[in-house]
Amino acid sequence: MPQIDQIAATYASQIFWLLLTFGFTFFVIGLGMFPKIQGTVDARDKRIADDLEAARAANVKADELEESYRVKMEKDRSEAQALVEASKAKANAASEKRKNKANADIAAKVATAEADIKSRAEEALKEIEGVSAEAAQDLVAKISGAKVTKAAALKETKAALKHG
């Protein structure tokens, strides 16, 4: 078989070129390019690790800031609530004071008005008694012809008005 004989003759040449190609590839890529690629990958891995560490540190700092903000807001909220409560208490006290003053003023006016009404009622009653006494004197004089004194007519008129 001639094909098999030809393979054996070219077998050494093929192995030579195969070794030469693999050797060239090993030296160019393996010793020349691979360390540069590996250095780039290592640098990238280091940069990623540094960035992740910086992100973790920033996250911790942000959590601390958020917690301090939350504490400050809670403190401010409680201070504001206390201020509101104090203002409400002050406003209620002022309102109560004004209400008490107004009630006292109204009570004084009512007392004055009641005293005025009582005095006017007494005056009106005296006037009614006087007019009634005069009318009784005139009636007694017209009906019976008798003369009644003003004092006696006033006494009887008072008694009649008292008993209704």
Side-chain angles (χ1 to χ4, degrees):
M1 261 197 171
Q3 293 96 354
I4 294 178
D5 288 337
Q6 239 180 4
I7 291 177
T10 59
Y11 188 64
S13 166
Q14 288 178 350
I15 290 178
F16 170 76
W17 286 111
L18 179 69
L19 289 176
L20 184 66
T21 304
F22 279 130
F24 177 77
T25 304
F26 173 75
F27 283 109
V28 171
I29 292 177
L31 297 179
M33 293 174 78
F34 183 73
K36 290 180 184 177
I37 293 170
Q38 189 62 36
T40 303
V41 168
D42 290 342
R44 191 178 112 229
D45 288 345
K46 184 178 183 320
R47 191 170 1 135
I48 288 171
D50 291 345
D51 288 348
L52 286 174
E53 187 59 36
R56 282 189 199 103
N59 193 13
V60 167
K61 186 174 181 180
D63 288 345
E64 290 171 357
L65 284 173
E66 181 182 5
E67 185 60 31
S68 68
Y69 172 76
R70 191 175 296 126
V71 167
K72 184 179 183 311
M73 287 301 291
E74 190 60 36
K75 179 184 167 204
D76 290 346
R77 186 177 291 118
S78 65
E79 287 175 0
Q81 188 66 27
L83 184 62
V84 166
E85 291 299 323
S87 295
K88 279 183 182 179
K90 186 177 178 182
N92 286 341
S95 175
E96 190 68 27
K97 186 177 177 182
R98 283 193 311 268
K99 183 178 87 173
N100 289 340
K101 185 178 183 295
N103 283 343
D105 290 346
I106 290 170
K109 287 179 182 178
V110 166
T112 303
E114 285 176 349
D116 188 40
I117 289 170
K118 185 176 180 182
S119 69
R120 287 184 184 193
E122 287 174 1
E123 287 176 13
L125 186 60
K126 284 182 184 179
E127 192 174 321
I128 289 171
E129 287 173 352
V131 170
S132 296
E134 286 176 13
Q137 274 181 324
D138 290 342
L139 282 174
V140 168
K142 284 183 183 180
I143 294 175
S144 69
K147 261 199 150 199
V148 179
T149 63
K150 188 171 185 174
L154 191 59
K155 181 180 172 190
E156 291 301 321
T157 303
K158 282 184 183 182
L161 286 177
K162 191 178 219 180
H163 296 295

